Amino acid sequence: MASEKEAALAAAPSDSPTIFDKIINKEIPSTVVYEDDKVLAFRDISPQAPTHILIIPKTRDGLTGLSKAEERHTEILGRLLYTAKLVAKQEGLDDGYRIVINDGPSGCQSVYHIHVHLLGGRQMNWPPG
């Protein structure tokens, strides 16, 4: 399997369904930890921390990455962050956690469907990356 950096450099925005669209549509299995009408949260298959959950909007609506956000996306962006807080509490991350949004090739984004990484369960280091 390619490294995350290699995957990000090879990835490109597209109108084709992403792996996340396939997870939303239940075409690919995932371990869902939270779902409502707007967002889906599931465990990352390649965790970088004891708790590593991805939180995605169920509809892309042109929001392939944070750099593509428009004013019309403010509600879903807030919903993603609020969901991260809910899931962190559900997961018992009372001592803290990290939220990450990768954007573009240099930001190591490998799936062009905006997503929030919720990482916790261990001491994080600074600076990241």
Side-chain angles (χ1 to χ4, degrees), residues 7-127:
L9 292 173
S14 165
D15 289 334
S16 299
T18 68
I19 189 171
F20 293 163
D21 292 309
K22 294 174 182 179
I23 289 170
I24 291 164
N25 293 328
K26 312 295 187 214
E27 296 168 22
I28 295 176
S30 66
T31 304
V32 174
V33 297
Y34 179 90
E35 182 173 9
D36 65 24
D37 60 325
K38 303 281 185 191
V39 300
L40 181 69
F42 54 93
R43 298 199 185 280
D44 194 300
I45 61 168
S46 182
Q48 302 301 304
T51 300
H52 187 169
I53 294 168
L54 299 175
I55 304 159
I56 62 173
K58 288 186 169 180
T59 304
R60 267 191 288 176
D61 188 29
L63 192 54
T64 55
L66 192 57
S67 61
K68 303 300 182 192
E70 298 175 9
E71 188 171 349
R72 66 189 170 99
H73 296 123
T74 57
E75 183 178 337
I76 193 63
L77 290 168
R79 183 73 161 261
L80 290 169
L81 291 177
Y82 183 68
T83 300
K85 177 255 186 191
L86 294 177
V87 173
K89 183 171 180 61
Q90 174 183 299
E91 293 289 314
L93 300 177
D94 301 325
D95 288 340
Y97 49 90
R98 179 167 287 164
I99 298 298
V100 175
I101 299 175
N102 300 329
D103 190 85
S106 292
C108 214
Q109 183 178 5
S110 58
V111 179
Y112 282 86
H113 182 134
I114 196 167
H115 53 287
V116 172
H117 294 259
L118 169 62
L119 299 144
R122 67 169 169 84
Q123 178 61 54
M124 299 293 154
N125 295 311
W126 196 260

